[in-house]
Amino acid sequence: MTQYQTLLYYCYSTIAEAEQFAADHLKFCKSLGLTGRIIVADEGLNGTVSGTAAACEAYMAAIHAEERFAKTEFKIDDVDQPSFVKMHVRYKSEIVHSGLRDPNIINPQIQTGKHLEPKDFLAMKDDEDVIILDVRSNYEHSLGRFKNAITLDIDNFRDFPAQINELAKYKDKKVLTYCTGGIKCEKASALLLHEGFTDVYQLHGGIIKYGKEAGGEDFEGKCYVFDNRLAVDVNSVNPVTISVCWNCGKHTEKMINCANPECNEHFTQCDECGTSMEGCCSNTCKEHPRKRVYDGTGYYVKVPQPVAPKKAKVQLAE
């Protein structure tokens, strides 16, 4: 049995008193010895957690034991070490930041695109009347994407709604959306339907599940993930490398964060440039006084800044 696992999951299910749930859930995760990042909102859960196989099994059992989360699907990866350093559970307005917060307009619990299992996505993706739409951000699809996929010039998923007019020319096509684990497609496909697209689908379980169940065929490059692994292999059938070094243009699959914390750009950089640039995307960042020490990984743990003590209030004489 593997020593550690990493779980990727989400669930759109209304949570009453979600802010209190988040606080309680953090305590529960810490009691299991898990590390990871979970977002809790009134609309549901979105998380990646990592720990021992026994802790992960206990966590999944606890989630499934609650009726509102009983249908949650977990994507499970065996890993050599935990994929996070700390455990965070935060309450936010959405479990994936889209700006589509009105459940009367976009509500994945009511309407989304038709879910395609990986084998069905594989069978349909090359049909003449189909387009494949990547709903992820630039730094994600620059690292890896489906062959012939349409990609969008967006820095964050919250920019997706503004791209709808650019996609209008595909309204007569079958639109197959995909993302890392499926969560973004729930809202992206719902918005497409709301905007008049009639034949909309989504890859159920996202790229991660497709890699596990369909061999990742025709997914070119690696898949960006939101933990300290940064990128994972997907394609075991016909893999290729499509990403190039930000600095020299040589093919590389290594994704890092800029060592300048005020930049923190996600980008691909080969090992040679990583050494010469000290993990920075530019010479300007390389010379920045707050530049972090580059250890070859390009992954940095956030260090809390010291809080200055409050000054005592001065009682003014009357």
Side-chain angles (χ1 to χ4, degrees):
M1 180 179 290
T2 182
Q3 187 174 3
Y4 297 106
Q5 292 180 330
T6 295
L7 311 177
L8 174 67
Y9 72 97
Y10 70 89
C11 180
Y12 282 98
S13 180
T14 304
I15 302 176
E17 299 181 351
E19 194 164 0
Q20 182 59 51
F21 176 89
D24 295 340
H25 201 62
L26 175 60
K27 293 177 183 177
F28 172 64
C29 291
K30 286 185 173 181
S31 75
L32 293 177
L34 295 172
T35 59
R37 186 183 299 116
I38 300 171
I39 298 173
V40 177
D42 298 344
E43 65 183 6
L45 296 173
N46 172 20
T48 307
V49 297
S50 191
T52 64
C56 288
E57 187 64 35
Y59 182 78
M60 289 188 286
I63 291 294
H64 286 149
E66 293 201 42
E67 183 177 355
R68 57 187 167 176
F69 307 137
K71 294 182 180 180
T72 302
E73 290 192 16
F74 289 90
K75 273 74 74 177
I76 306 171
D77 280 341
D78 295 332
V79 292
D80 294 329
Q81 58 187 2
S83 299
F84 294 89
V85 175
K86 298 180 180 180
M87 185 71 233
H88 298 284
V89 181
R90 294 189 172 94
Y91 172 77
K92 295 189 177 183
S93 58
E94 297 179 272
I95 56 175
V96 59
H97 190 8
S98 68
L100 305 171
R101 299 175 186 174
D102 187 346
N104 295 313
I105 298 176
I106 302 298
N107 189 342
Q109 295 185 58
I110 296 175
Q111 184 184 47
T112 67
K114 301 164 193 156
H115 286 61
L116 286 175
E117 293 302 321
K119 62 181 178 59
D120 300 317
F121 183 93
L122 175 62
M124 187 187 294
K125 69 181 182 62
D126 295 324
D127 289 355
E128 193 172 301
D129 61 342
V130 161
I131 66 156
I132 305 172
L133 177 62
D134 192 321
V135 304
R136 301 172 302 153
S137 306
N138 289 327
Y139 63 88
E140 297 174 86
H141 60 65
S142 68
L143 182 65
R145 56 188 178 268
F146 277 103
K147 182 179 179 181
N148 299 323
I150 293 168
T151 57
L152 305 173
D153 183 14
I154 57 177
D155 292 326
N156 297 282
F157 183 57
R158 61 176 175 267
D159 299 327
F160 176 78
Q163 298 288 320
I164 289 296
N165 290 338
E166 297 294 322
L167 299 171
K169 57 190 173 186
Y170 302 116
K171 281 191 175 181
D172 63 338
K173 298 282 190 179
K174 293 178 180 176
V175 182
L176 275 56
T177 66
Y178 74 90
C179 61
T180 306
I183 187 171
K184 293 176 181 177
C185 289
E186 301 281 8
K187 287 195 172 182
S189 66
L191 180 61
L192 289 169
L193 290 168
H194 178 73
E195 293 293 331
F197 290 76
T198 57
D199 216 355
V200 181
Y201 302 79
Q202 64 187 79
L203 175 56
H204 182 55
I207 299 163
I208 301 300
K209 186 175 181 181
Y210 182 82
K212 295 179 182 299
E213 297 186 7
E217 184 174 344
D218 287 340
F219 185 84
E220 300 180 328
K222 288 193 174 187
C223 180
Y224 181 90
V225 291
F226 297 85
D227 58 62
N228 65 7
R229 295 172 297 169
L230 294 180
V232 296
D233 290 321
V234 174
N235 191 334
S236 59
V237 178
N238 54 351
V240 296
T241 300
I242 62 169
S243 51
V244 297
C245 177
W246 176 290
N247 301 104
C248 72
K250 183 172 71 175
H251 276 95
T252 181
E253 295 178 327
K254 187 175 183 179
M255 173 71 77
I256 72 167
N257 287 100
C258 181
N260 174 7
E262 293 184 14
C263 172
N264 210 43
E265 179 77 50
H266 292 289
F267 67 104
T268 44
Q269 186 179 63
C270 69
D271 286 330
E272 290 83 356
C273 288
T275 299
S276 64
M277 295 296 294
E278 298 176 9
C280 294
C281 65
S282 67
N283 286 322
T284 300
C285 286
K286 186 177 177 180
E287 295 168 3
H288 197 278
R290 290 187 58 216
K291 182 187 67 178
R292 296 169 290 199
V293 176
Y294 178 63
D295 66 359
T297 66
Y299 179 82
Y300 304 96
V301 177
K302 291 183 179 179
V303 179
Q305 296 299 307
V307 178
K310 293 182 179 180
K311 293 182 180 179
K313 291 184 179 179
V314 178
Q315 182 67 46
L316 297 177
E318 295 182 357

